[in-house]
Amino acid sequence: MRAADNKFFLFLLAAASIAFVWILLPFYGAVLWGVVIAILFAPLYRQLNRALGFRRNLAAVVGVTVIVLLVLLPFSAIGTALAKEAAGVYGKIESGNLALLNNLRNFIEQPPSWINDLLERFGIGSVAELQQRLSSALMRGSQYFAGQALTIGQSTVDFTVNLFVMLYLLFFLLRDGDLIAGRIRRGLPLSVDQQNLLLNKFTVVIRATVKGNMLIALIQGALGGLAFYVLGIGGALLWAVVMAFVSLLPAVGAGLVWAPVAVYLIATGSMWQGILLIAYGALVIGMVDNVLRPVLVGKDTRMPDYVVLISTLGGLQVFGLNGFVIGPVIAAMFIAVWDIYSTSREAAASAGEATTGGVPSNGEVPSSDAP
């Protein structure tokens, strides 16, 4: 192929690729989760394919059915219950019947003297001034959540369409996943070792982020919600979901939720409930990450916690909820590409030294100071 023809073909390749990505952007969430779920359940599909006599279509249909029953239906049920509980909590906030707010109101009206002294020492002012700030913040928060509820209602149709696209795509990704991976390998202008490193890194990070981190977050959220339910704290399911989300962030975790609640319980006179929640949160909820993460994720697949934290927060900021997967994947690809680049440079330098026998590239023999 002539140089001019080669340049035109590369331009055509880039233009076609950009255009294809552009038309997929409205469904990027459906495509992303289709790929993620296909990677996670690829071993299950291979077992089903062997068990069903290598009938790929039937194995893919059974695989999608199992995924719907094991993943989508439970999450849909939890989402429905969460929506009802959130609506109930919002109604209690507006009517002033929420026990948490009533206790807080009583605490504000008759605060201990040491509370006022502590607030004045830190320059916050009195409890009354703090109450005004909290009231304005709660008002803005209630308006925000009311707007979000309206947005969720309006986007139900979009969610249904994306769910159908994801399931439809998932069928073909399960059935033809190995063929698609082979085509991607042949299209990458990299050596076999580099291809294996990148694709394996991508697969490992996807599985670690979703299978490991998400499962750990669900367990921590469930344990936290159970503690709140036993202690009689309202909106236990809502708080469980919040704890599950914050558990996705290393160095933050579910303690961002249960610790302030424990302090509130102690400050409002529920001393043993607060102490019990602190002990349970530190010894049970906190230990889940230390015990399960090496088993589910593996020590060799983990990125540094600060990289995971920054990439997850950045991903959530840029891509929304999908960012908790996209952020770590981008960070992992960044690290893998730079590892490949540095390894290639070191290999090239070693090969050059071996070829020249240690003689510099300019052909000059280094002088010796020996007599």
Side-chain angles (χ1 to χ4, degrees), residues 28-29 32-33 75 159 209 214 241 244-246 248 312-328:
Y28 92 93
L32 170 69
W33 286 105
F75 271 95
F159 173 79
T209 302
M214 192 171 183
V241 173
F245 273 109
V246 297
L248 294 171
T312 302
L313 291 175
L316 292 172
Q317 181 71 24
V318 176
F319 301 103
L321 183 60
N322 298 323
F324 93 90
V325 174
I326 300 176

Side-chain angles (χ1 to χ4, degrees), residues 259-325:
V261 174
V263 173
Y264 159 79
L265 290 174
I266 294 175
T268 53
S270 302
M271 183 67 66
W272 71 268
Q273 290 96 330
I275 295 176
L276 182 63
L277 183 57
I278 291 175
Y280 180 83
L283 299 178
V284 179
I285 301 177
M287 289 300 295
V288 167
D289 185 80
N290 297 329
V291 174
L292 292 183
R293 188 176 297 276
V295 177
L296 296 175
V297 180
K299 296 180 179 179
D300 296 335
T301 61
R302 292 189 62 188
M303 291 184 293
D305 284 344
Y306 62 89
V307 175
V308 177
L309 176 62
I310 296 174
S311 61
T312 302
L313 291 175
L316 292 172
Q317 181 71 24
V318 176
F319 301 103
L321 183 60
N322 298 323
F324 93 90
V325 174

Side-chain angles (χ1 to χ4, degrees), residues 4-349:
D5 295 337
N6 187 38
K7 291 181 180 179
F8 176 75
F9 179 77
L10 291 177
F11 170 77
L12 185 62
L13 178 64
S17 301
I18 293 173
F20 182 70
V21 172
W22 182 42
I23 63 174
L24 290 182
L25 281 179
F27 301 101
Y28 92 93
V31 174
L32 170 69
W33 286 105
V35 173
V36 168
I37 295 176
I39 291 175
L40 293 177
F41 287 89
L44 173 63
Y45 165 77
R46 295 189 183 102
Q47 293 180 3
L48 289 173
N49 194 28
R50 287 192 296 268
L52 296 173
F54 296 96
R55 287 178 286 184
R56 296 191 302 148
N57 287 328
L58 181 59
V61 170
V62 175
V64 172
T65 304
V66 171
I67 291 170
V68 170
L69 294 177
L70 292 181
V71 179
L72 297 182
L73 287 184
F75 271 95
S76 299
I78 293 175
T80 302
L82 177 62
K84 293 181 180 179
E85 185 162 310
V89 171
Y90 178 74
K92 290 181 180 180
I93 291 177
E94 284 201 324
S95 61
N97 294 326
L98 190 64
L100 179 64
L101 293 181
N102 291 333
N103 293 335
L104 184 60
R105 188 181 299 111
N106 295 332
F107 175 76
I108 291 175
E109 290 175 355
Q110 298 178 348
S113 59
W114 63 270
I115 292 290
N116 285 324
D117 296 338
L118 185 64
L119 293 177
E120 291 178 358
R121 179 175 301 178
F122 284 96
I124 299 176
S126 63
V127 174
E129 295 176 1
L130 182 61
Q131 179 187 13
Q132 293 178 354
R133 298 179 185 178
L134 291 176
S135 299
S136 61
L138 286 174
M139 181 62 66
R140 291 193 298 269
S142 63
Q143 294 173 353
Y144 170 78
F145 284 113
Q148 290 300 308
L150 180 61
T151 302
I152 292 173
Q154 292 174 344
S155 60
T156 302
V157 176
D158 294 338
F159 173 79
T160 304
V161 172
N162 279 275
L163 180 61
F164 173 78
V165 171
M166 186 199 72
L167 292 176
Y168 183 75
L169 179 63
L170 180 60
F171 169 83
F172 292 100
L173 290 175
L174 288 175
R175 191 191 69 176
D176 304 326
D178 293 335
L179 298 176
I180 295 173
R183 290 185 177 181
I184 293 175
R185 287 177 182 273
R186 290 194 299 270
L188 291 176
L190 300 172
S191 65
V192 175
D193 292 338
Q194 292 173 342
Q195 291 177 9
N196 292 333
L197 177 60
L198 280 180
L199 294 180
N200 290 339
K201 190 72 173 179
F202 178 80
T203 304
V204 164
V205 172
I206 288 290
R207 288 177 177 168
T209 302
V210 180
K211 181 192 73 175
N213 296 340
M214 192 171 183
L215 184 57
I216 291 171
L218 290 175
I219 294 174
Q220 288 185 321
L223 291 174
L226 178 63
F228 279 32
Y229 176 78
V230 172
L231 294 176
I233 299 173
L237 179 60
L238 181 62
W239 289 117
V241 173
V242 174
M243 280 186 278
F245 273 109
V246 297
S247 296
L248 294 171
L249 303 176
V252 178
L256 190 65
V257 177
W258 62 257
V261 174
V263 173
Y264 159 79
L265 290 174
I266 294 175
T268 53
S270 302
M271 183 67 66
W272 71 268
Q273 290 96 330
I275 295 176
L276 182 63
L277 183 57
I278 291 175
Y280 180 83
L283 299 178
V284 179
I285 301 177
M287 289 300 295
V288 167
D289 185 80
N290 297 329
V291 174
L292 292 183
R293 188 176 297 276
V295 177
L296 296 175
V297 180
K299 296 180 179 179
D300 296 335
T301 61
R302 292 189 62 188
M303 291 184 293
D305 284 344
Y306 62 89
V307 175
V308 177
L309 176 62
I310 296 174
S311 61
T312 302
L313 291 175
L316 292 172
Q317 181 71 24
V318 176
F319 301 103
L321 183 60
N322 298 323
F324 93 90
V325 174
I326 300 176
V329 167
I330 292 177
M333 291 297 101
F334 171 81
I335 294 174
V337 169
W338 276 99
D339 284 343
I340 291 175
Y341 176 72
S342 60
T343 302
S344 300
R345 290 197 61 183
E346 291 174 0

